[in-house]
Amino acid sequence: MTKYIFRRLIWSGVVLIGISMIVFVITYVVPADPAHMIAGPRASPEVLEAIRHQLALDQPLPAQYIRYMSNLLHGSLGTSWRTKREVRVIIAERIPATVQLAVAAILVQLLIGLPVGLVSAVKRGTWADRLGMIVSLTLVAAPTFWLGLILLYLFAFKLS
């Protein structure tokens, strides 16, 4: 069992490194220039070069990745160029709302999903089972952005 857990931990590390590489490459390949986004469209070439130097964007790609991983491992997520605040602080401020939303979602899933699942298991092959399956599959297959807008409209405007 210990060997299995150790193997899973090693593979988790490999997956995390792979994901970090993919995220880094995607942010590098995106055609937007961070220096232009920070300085604005009318910035002089000197200002753009200073921002690139400050962000170490003038370094080779492997050096940028090593710096990125070093900062990530030390818990430094950088500074938001929009708010000029540390990203770590911004994320920490939003954790309570995220936890509240996750707990509410789990409770709704339990309050609706558990009874539907129990009815489907007990009344297997009946109309209740089929209705539960149809509603469940429809809600799972529906795009979340669309379903969210429909539920928002229903609960915020129609039922209030």
Side-chain angles (χ1 to χ4, degrees):
M1 184 66 168
T2 308
K3 189 175 178 181
Y4 173 77
I5 292 173
F6 182 72
R7 250 186 308 157
R8 297 294 285 191
L9 286 173
I10 294 294
W11 276 111
S12 296
V14 170
V15 168
L16 286 174
I17 290 171
I19 289 171
S20 73
M21 285 182 173
I22 291 169
V23 168
F24 182 79
V25 168
I26 286 173
T27 58
Y28 186 77
V29 173
V30 171
D33 182 14
H36 275 294
M37 294 171 76
I38 293 170
R42 295 187 178 130
S44 67
E46 294 81 22
V47 171
L48 293 174
E49 192 58 39
I51 292 173
R52 285 188 191 106
H53 181 71
Q54 179 184 0
L55 298 175
L57 297 174
D58 55 353
Q59 301 291 319
L61 193 60
Q64 289 181 35
Y65 179 73
I66 290 170
R67 181 174 184 245
Y68 166 75
M69 286 303 294
S70 173
N71 288 340
L72 197 62
L73 292 174
H74 286 97
S76 172
L77 301 175
T79 305
S80 168
W81 55 272
R82 283 189 181 165
T83 62
K84 307 293 187 242
R85 295 173 56 210
E86 284 191 48
V87 173
R88 180 173 31 94
V89 173
I90 296 170
I91 291 172
E93 288 173 353
R94 287 161 172 82
I95 286 177
T98 303
V99 169
Q100 183 181 6
L101 184 62
V103 168
I106 289 169
L107 286 176
V108 168
Q109 287 176 346
L110 286 175
L111 291 174
I112 295 173
L114 197 60
V116 170
L118 287 172
V119 168
S120 291
V122 172
K123 306 279 187 176
R124 188 173 171 165
T126 64
W127 65 270
D129 177 33
R130 289 194 179 100
L131 179 65
M133 289 297 290
I134 289 170
V135 170
S136 298
L137 290 175
T138 302
L139 292 176
V140 167
T144 36
F145 63 88
W146 176 81
L147 186 60
L149 288 174
I150 297 298
L151 292 174
L152 184 65
Y153 174 74
L154 178 69
F155 288 111
F157 295 111
K158 291 296 183 183
L159 297 177
S160 63

